[in-house]
Amino acid sequence: MPNQDPQRVNELRTLIADFLKRRLDIRLEKIKGDDEKAIAEQKKEHDRFEKNTWFESAAQRTRQIQLVTHVLKATYPDIKINLATNLYASPRSLHPYELVGSHVLGDHFDNDATGNAAALDIYDFLTQRYGERTILELVRDRDTDLNLALSNDKNLASRWMQIFSEIVESPCSRLTSHTFAKQFYWLIDNELDPHDDASFHLLAPLYASSLAHRVYLRIQDDRFSEGANAARKAKKEGAFSDRPVCEYPQLAIQKIGGTKPQNISQLNSERGGNNFLLASLPPLWRSVDIKPLLGTDSMFDRYGWRPEVKKLVRTLLAFFKSDPARNLDTRERRDELVNDLIDEFWQFSAELQSLEPGWSQVRECHLGGAEKHWLDPDGVVQSCTESGLPLPTDTLENVSRNFANWLNHQLRDPLAMGDPEFMHWRKLMLEQLKEEEREGRHDN
């Protein structure tokens, strides 16, 4: 056995102790009070994060998760890791195609983890860095200093390291897909008989999670980092900047995992379920130019005439008139239809926001201040700056309120719609508007 480095062992012990303390502090933060019950809970958490206890528990739970670079659960969240193959393939092990793919990530890439979200603390530990390397890399190399840092019992530490090193292996005994996973047949050669099953490969595409995460981080940096903001400012002022300005027109976001992105994978959770889709669209042909909203007091009067909006309102009315059972399925179906209306609102807004700034400042525009600010933000900012007036500060709240009033009005005849419904529609809209604001896609 190679000679051990006492200083290195101590540094690794400190890293492990700091990790366990952070995890413990998070748990203790949720336990308030100094009564008998709280003290008992606190003691329980302290015992749970005692070094040997936590590592023994982690060793038992390791098979509940898998370290991956390509995750199948992004296709369907209920796929269990022991029923289908997720894949761990380091970029260096992949064929160096000329097209962009996971192989371009090189040695520096983010591992992902999928499986039981309650066991992702193991992933957190294994991705801790000591110098230039992760704990997982040290584990797989059977690092002798890490062995001693884990436990004075070398055999016990070796067993833990062996179990941790298997986290990149699929729990499935063989390569297999799943009923809910996407699969398609690929004709091997055009000269072969397409009536013969042997002429095809059955392909099961996997979501390239590590690549998607790199793309996400790059786009976020190009859009919101201090360096990117400084470069945009320099461009606007005609000044020099070492950093180029990168724009991503018509960027779309695919939400994976719904309200529980951690059930898909760890990296998906870190992104809040957001996965960027770059635009790959033909030019849009429009028979009628987009015109400013003039001569109307509310944008929702025009919004309500959109064919898809009218269709969704009719569907929502029919659903309510059917007197559905008051249960979770009914609430989810109701919110699904309202969220579809909100999606149409985003499309409606985006079209008007593409107009030349300032259109809302003409005398013929009768919209309220909040709606003007929402649909023509640059025009309103310029007008307020020139006139010395303050910018609107309650735009999101007012737009959400106007949407809720409009929807209540659409449903009120023949249904009874009141304050509870108004508050719910307003809440759904306001949540989406604030999420867009947090993501930096709208600065109202």
Side-chain angles (χ1 to χ4, degrees):
M1 180 178 291
N3 292 330
Q4 292 173 330
D5 182 343
Q7 180 179 346
R8 193 164 177 269
V9 172
N10 286 333
E11 290 172 349
L12 285 165
R13 282 176 175 161
T14 299
L15 185 151
I16 293 169
D18 290 345
F19 167 79
L20 293 176
K21 185 178 185 304
R22 286 197 303 274
R23 302 293 303 190
L24 172 61
D25 289 343
I26 292 172
R27 300 290 299 183
L28 293 178
E29 184 67 26
K30 300 176 182 178
I31 304 174
K32 302 296 184 181
D34 55 3
D35 55 27
E36 184 176 333
K37 182 179 178 181
I39 293 173
E41 288 294 324
Q42 291 166 6
K43 182 180 184 306
K44 182 179 178 181
E45 292 299 335
H46 277 284
D47 291 343
R48 179 184 173 192
F49 284 93
E50 188 276 327
K51 184 177 177 182
N52 279 9
T53 302
W54 188 86
F55 277 108
E56 188 59 37
S57 169
Q60 294 173 11
R61 294 180 291 124
T62 297
R63 295 294 285 177
Q64 298 176 20
I65 61 173
Q66 182 192 355
L67 218 61
V68 296
T69 54
H70 297 72
V71 59
L72 189 59
K73 284 171 70 72
T75 301
Y76 195 86
D78 287 341
I79 295 175
K80 308 300 182 185
I81 66 169
N82 59 339
L83 298 179
T85 299
N86 293 280
L87 191 65
Y88 185 91
S90 65
R92 293 292 185 188
S93 70
L94 302 175
H95 183 81
Y97 293 103
E98 293 184 2
L99 299 175
V100 173
S102 298
H103 58 280
V104 305
L105 297 178
D107 292 328
H108 301 289
F109 64 98
D110 290 292
N111 291 310
D112 202 355
T114 186
N116 183 0
L120 288 176
D121 54 334
I122 304 167
Y123 163 88
D124 191 12
F125 169 68
L126 294 176
T127 53
Q128 296 293 306
R129 302 197 75 86
Y130 176 73
E132 296 297 318
R133 311 192 71 199
T134 64
I135 293 294
L136 177 62
E137 291 173 318
L138 299 179
V139 163
R140 299 188 77 186
D141 288 346
R142 300 297 188 270
D143 187 277
T144 56
D145 291 335
L146 177 61
N147 183 293
L148 187 56
L150 287 172
S151 174
N152 290 328
D153 185 335
K154 295 180 180 179
N155 292 331
L156 180 61
S158 295
R159 181 171 68 85
W160 291 341
M161 292 174 72
Q162 173 61 36
I163 293 172
F164 292 149
S165 70
E166 295 170 357
I167 198 171
V168 299
E169 300 174 8
S170 173
C172 297
S173 57
R174 59 189 178 86
L175 294 178
T176 182
S177 190
H178 192 276
T179 303
F180 295 139
K182 295 183 183 299
Q183 302 173 58
F184 59 87
Y185 284 95
W186 185 268
L187 187 62
I188 301 171
D189 192 315
N190 289 333
E191 301 298 324
L192 298 177
D193 181 8
H195 300 94
D196 182 4
D197 287 349
S199 300
F200 293 85
H201 282 316
L202 180 59
L203 302 183
L206 300 179
Y207 187 78
S209 185
S210 295
L211 177 61
H213 197 66
R214 175 71 65 82
V215 170
Y216 177 85
L217 294 177
R218 171 63 184 271
I219 292 177
Q220 287 290 87
D221 184 75
D222 284 341
R223 298 172 75 199
F224 306 123
S225 69
E226 291 184 5
N229 289 334
R232 275 191 286 272
K233 181 180 179 181
K235 178 182 178 182
K236 184 176 181 180
E237 297 174 351
F240 173 77
S241 171
D242 289 326
R243 176 167 180 159
V245 174
C246 297
E247 302 290 349
Y248 300 88
Q250 299 186 41
L251 187 69
I253 293 181
Q254 179 186 24
K255 298 284 285 189
I256 297 179
T259 59
K260 297 181 178 179
Q262 71 274 13
N263 286 349
I264 303 301
S265 74
Q266 175 64 24
L267 293 184
N268 188 64
S269 179
E270 291 178 16
R271 297 190 296 271
N274 294 322
N275 294 264
F276 289 135
L277 301 177
L278 300 175
S280 179
L281 303 170
L284 290 177
W285 177 79
R286 296 184 182 277
S287 58
V288 180
D289 291 336
I290 300 171
K291 297 180 179 179
L293 289 187
L294 305 178
T296 182
D297 294 329
S298 171
M299 64 178 170
F300 289 100
D301 291 340
R302 300 285 180 88
Y303 161 78
W305 281 101
R306 293 171 72 89
E308 188 60 26
V309 172
K310 294 167 71 174
K311 178 182 175 181
L312 286 167
V313 170
R314 287 195 300 268
T315 303
L316 188 58
L317 266 172
F319 178 67
F320 283 146
K321 288 180 180 179
S322 68
D323 194 24
R326 297 187 178 185
N327 55 27
L328 179 61
D329 289 340
T330 295
R331 293 193 294 273
E332 288 181 343
R333 175 58 178 158
R334 174 201 64 193
D335 287 355
E336 179 184 359
L337 290 169
V338 176
N339 283 325
D340 287 342
L341 282 169
I342 294 174
D343 288 342
E344 278 298 309
F345 175 75
W346 285 117
Q347 180 64 30
F348 170 79
S349 299
E351 292 172 1
L352 288 163
Q353 288 164 359
S354 69
L355 293 171
E356 188 71 19
W359 63 265
S360 68
Q361 302 306 300
V362 301
R363 183 179 302 173
E364 293 81 2
C365 183
H366 302 156
L367 298 177
E371 294 187 1
K372 287 182 178 180
H373 189 210
W374 174 255
L375 296 175
D376 182 23
D378 291 340
V380 170
V381 169
Q382 181 178 352
S383 176
C384 289
T385 300
E386 293 174 353
S387 62
L389 295 174
L391 283 172
T393 58
D394 53 356
T395 297
L396 304 188
E397 290 77 5
N398 283 327
V399 169
S400 302
R401 183 197 64 202
N402 293 351
F403 171 79
N405 276 327
W406 170 83
L407 185 53
N408 258 11
H409 181 74
Q410 303 304 307
L411 303 175
R412 186 168 290 140
D413 185 16
L415 303 175
M417 292 286 152
D419 288 344
E421 292 79 12
F422 168 88
M423 296 298 292
H424 189 66
W425 315 144
R426 178 182 174 278
K427 176 176 177 289
L428 290 178
M429 174 63 91
L430 188 58
E431 285 177 347
Q432 289 215 27
L433 297 186
K434 287 186 174 180
E435 181 177 351
E436 292 291 311
E437 186 180 55
R438 285 193 296 271
E439 288 292 333
R441 292 187 288 274
H442 206 287
D443 297 325
N444 291 339

